[in-house]
Amino acid sequence: MTESFVVRSLERVVEIRLRGRAEELVDVARHAWSRCLTDEAPDGPPIDVRLRPRRPSSRSSTHVDGASAAAVLELLSQAVTLAGIEHGAGRLLMLHACGLADSTTGRTIVLAAPSGMGKSTAAVNLGRRWGYVSDETVALTPHGTVLSYPKPLSLIRDSRWKDQVSPDDLALVPSPAETRLAAVAILQRDPDGPTVIERVRRTEFVAHLAPHTSYFGRLAEPVHRLAELVDVDGGVVLRYADSEGLEHLVGALFEGQP
Amino acid sequence: MRVVLSADVRDMFVDADGTAAVLVGSRVLALPAVSAAVLAAVADRGTEGADPVQLWAEVRPALVDPPDEVTGQGGIADLIDRFVAEGLVSWMATE
């Protein structure tokens, strides 16, 4: 027996096939991916998902083996993302970032940061005010369009595996149909530091931003592509102590300050 | 000995202020204006390579405010050494 559903991951349309015991997770998984569900035909290999309690967990862009339901759901999130970024390699500029969009204009702020630096937390807190684009991967086409990827949010709870929570369950604002880049910023959280927007020289900002990309070296003229995202006056670093401060800074960015 | 641009240098963006961001291998380095100008001069020489002694004389006139610490051959040699350590250039033996 196999249960399946289809989601969009950036420019890929991926069929997720839950096999054997994993098919019991189909309703939970489909709900978590509620904002990415699509009626489009899959355009590549499916992801085969299995729940096998006595085997090590593993994943690729075409398979997930999880030893528990929580493992299956987190690894599935990684596998779907991987399928999308592998497909976009060489064409899309893909950032490890949270994305938030103005629901009216589609202008999108991209907040880049390494894992554990608050991307998902920022998406949860700020996605109730601005449209939720992604909590992990934001991709830009060569024409400057931001691709929405409103995946389940990966939230740390008590267990080893992160919970995969539908943005619907968090009452996050839907991303508008068309989104374009307004600004890209790097997040720097410091609980004891000031809340401030800093400008960094464009070339230094590009060097700081490059590690937060996927398949960067596969792009044509990748450094130029990254530099095109950054204002000539320099790149933006948002230094903040808490989510309230970050909301204030992001609000200022949407208003075109500084 | 002459210096040539490393094959690992895949892309170089030079901004209006003369600073640069360079993709070398899988890393992106930010270079100040003098370093960027010297590296660009090396790149312009292609496979022929550049003589370090001549590099500063070639680059200096193009800089608005060239720093004193790189005026001499020793300063250029230090810069080239840093470039070699970063994988930006390599030495090429000459006859």
Side-chain angles (χ1 to χ4, degrees):
Chain A
M1 292 282 290
T2 300
E3 295 275 5
S4 70
F5 60 96
V6 179
V7 298
R8 171 165 279 276
S9 174
L10 304 176
E11 291 184 324
R12 259 234 46 204
V13 179
V14 189
E15 181 184 17
I16 296 168
R17 299 197 301 208
L18 299 108
R19 297 177 173 278
R21 292 181 58 181
E23 70 180 79
E24 298 168 10
L25 300 174
V26 65
D27 291 338
V28 174
R30 182 186 282 122
H31 179 69
W33 287 90
S34 56
R35 297 251 180 117
C36 295
L37 294 173
T38 178
D39 295 329
E40 298 167 280
D43 57 7
I47 299 174
D48 285 317
V49 181
R50 291 181 172 83
L51 173 59
R52 298 200 257 209
R54 283 180 293 281
R55 297 183 60 167
S57 296
S58 65
R59 63 108 177 99
S60 70
S61 59
T62 56
H63 94 280
V64 166
D65 275 355
S68 66
V72 164
L73 295 171
E74 179 173 343
L75 294 173
L76 175 59
S77 183
Q78 296 174 9
V80 173
T81 301
L82 191 57
I85 65 175
E86 284 180 354
H87 184 75
R91 198 184 101 78
L92 301 177
L93 176 52
M94 297 176 283
L95 295 162
H96 306 154
C98 157
L100 299 158
D102 182 306
S103 298
T104 305
T105 65
R107 294 171 68 243
T108 301
I109 302 286
V110 176
L111 306 173
S115 294
M117 279 299 288
K119 294 192 297 292
S120 292
T121 303
V124 169
N125 292 323
L126 306 185
R128 296 187 175 107
R129 178 173 173 187
W130 294 289
Y132 170 61
V133 174
S134 180
D135 73 332
E136 183 177 317
T137 301
V138 174
L140 294 114
T141 70
H143 309 293
T145 299
V146 177
L147 299 180
S148 284
Y149 179 41
K151 58 181 279 292
L153 291 96
S154 298
L155 303 179
I156 297 172
R157 303 282 198 212
D158 298 329
S159 70
R160 172 187 170 193
W161 302 97
K162 293 178 182 174
D163 282 358
Q164 305 303 308
V165 183
S166 167
D168 292 335
D169 292 345
L170 296 166
L172 301 190
V173 177
S175 173
E178 294 185 7
T179 45
R180 295 194 66 80
L181 184 69
V184 57
I186 294 175
L187 293 182
Q188 291 280 343
R189 185 179 54 189
D190 178 359
D192 301 317
T195 294
V196 63
I197 296 177
E198 290 184 357
R199 284 278 179 185
V200 177
R201 190 192 299 271
R202 177 155 63 169
T203 47
E204 291 177 14
F205 186 82
V206 166
H208 289 311
L209 191 58
H212 306 309
T213 58
S214 297
Y215 289 104
F216 185 65
R218 293 271 291 272
L219 294 168
E221 298 193 317
V223 181
H224 285 76
R225 186 91 174 263
L226 212 48
E228 286 171 3
L229 305 182
V230 186
D231 193 278
V232 292
D233 295 330
V236 173
V237 176
L238 303 182
R239 298 192 186 279
Y240 69 103
D242 53 36
S243 55
E244 189 176 329
L246 180 59
E247 181 173 353
H248 173 73
L249 298 181
V250 172
L253 276 186
F254 269 116
E255 290 167 13
Q257 302 169 6
Chain B
M1 296 282 279
R2 299 171 76 82
V3 288
V4 291
L5 194 69
S6 165
D8 289 336
V9 174
R10 304 229 352 259
D11 190 20
M12 180 172 176
F13 169 79
V14 181
D15 211 343
D17 63 2
T19 64
V22 183
L23 176 61
V24 50
S26 59
R27 297 173 302 142
V28 175
L29 303 177
L31 299 182
V34 172
S35 298
V38 172
L39 189 66
V42 173
D44 286 345
R45 299 297 179 88
T47 55
E48 168 194 341
D51 180 343
V53 177
Q54 296 173 348
L55 270 176
W56 182 241
E58 180 179 327
V59 168
R60 184 180 178 111
L63 299 173
V64 174
D65 186 17
D68 291 338
E69 68 269 24
V70 199
T71 51
Q73 189 177 338
I76 279 290
D78 289 345
L79 197 56
I80 298 296
D81 285 346
R82 289 205 295 274
F83 284 177
V84 171
E86 295 283 10
L88 293 165
V89 302
S90 58
W91 289 106
M92 178 177 71
T94 53
E95 294 180 4

